[in-house]
Amino acid sequence: SQTIHQWPATLVQPVGSPLSLECTVEGTSNPNLYWYRQAAGRGLQLLFYSVGIGQISSEVPQNLSASRPQDRQFILSSKKLLLSDSGFYLCAGRREDRNEQFFGPGTRLTVL
Amino acid sequence: AQTVTQSQPEMSVQEAETVTLSCTYDTSESDYYLFWYKQPPSRQMILVIRQEAYKQQNATENRFSVNFQKAAKSFSLKISDSQLGDAAMYFCAYMSYGQNFVFGPGTRLSVLP
């Protein structure tokens, strides 16, 4: 079965510090991958998606970036975090055979 | 652009009762998929049920069923025999071929003992 792993689970960072969140996928090859952000009690905001290695599309201009160095690895980064970057970050993959999205457990980021 | 609307920010239901969550969407496509996802307090997103637009029959998964009205662009979720574990945020989502998922803003469901 297809599974997404994310780490860390929780992160507290000071304003202006760098960020690296990692997402890895098991059980499928060449999946479409997605980064979402969710503010407390709110819906999902699509940040980036990738259809393959090195291919990144940005949905929202901001100080975050994404990279896909390997087929099953998707990384969310920032050079300098802002207070507004706080939130819950979800990585998702797409099951092409059923046109569904499956999600990782998420990373709770607090920027102080 | 496609949009998904969930007009009920919060709902509550008595344990063992039935509740219906509403979802409407806007699209000009004829072929697409609709989904309901559940996000419990752990915040892990879990697929509850899916519906292909070309299928007239409403999807069912145990206590969960949908009322899909294609012409009205409506996709409601019915939860029967509600259980305490059903308490969660519920997100309606839309996807058409070659497009990304579009999620609604969510409905927070409380289950009262």
Side-chain angles (χ1 to χ4, degrees), chain A residues 90-101:
Chain A
L90 283 161
C91 180
R94 180 164 161 174
R95 286 188 58 179
E96 298 296 338
D97 59 336
R98 289 178 57 82
N99 286 302
E100 297 170 1
Q101 286 204 348

Side-chain angles (χ1 to χ4, degrees), chain B residues 9-54:
Chain B
E10 296 185 359
M11 292 279 286
S12 63
V13 62
Q14 208 71 34
E15 196 175 4
E17 297 294 309
T18 296
V19 65
T20 299
L21 308 184
S22 301
C23 172
T24 58
Y25 57 95
D26 184 26
T27 184
S28 58
E29 304 287 339
S30 58
D31 261 344
Y32 49 87
Y33 295 81
L34 295 163
F35 308 85
W36 279 98
Y37 282 85
K38 170 185 177 181
Q39 188 180 40
S42 68
R43 303 194 78 171
Q44 173 76 58
M45 292 282 283
I46 303 164
L47 178 65
V48 175
I49 200 165
R50 68 195 290 272
Q51 174 82 42
E52 294 94 331
Y54 65 86

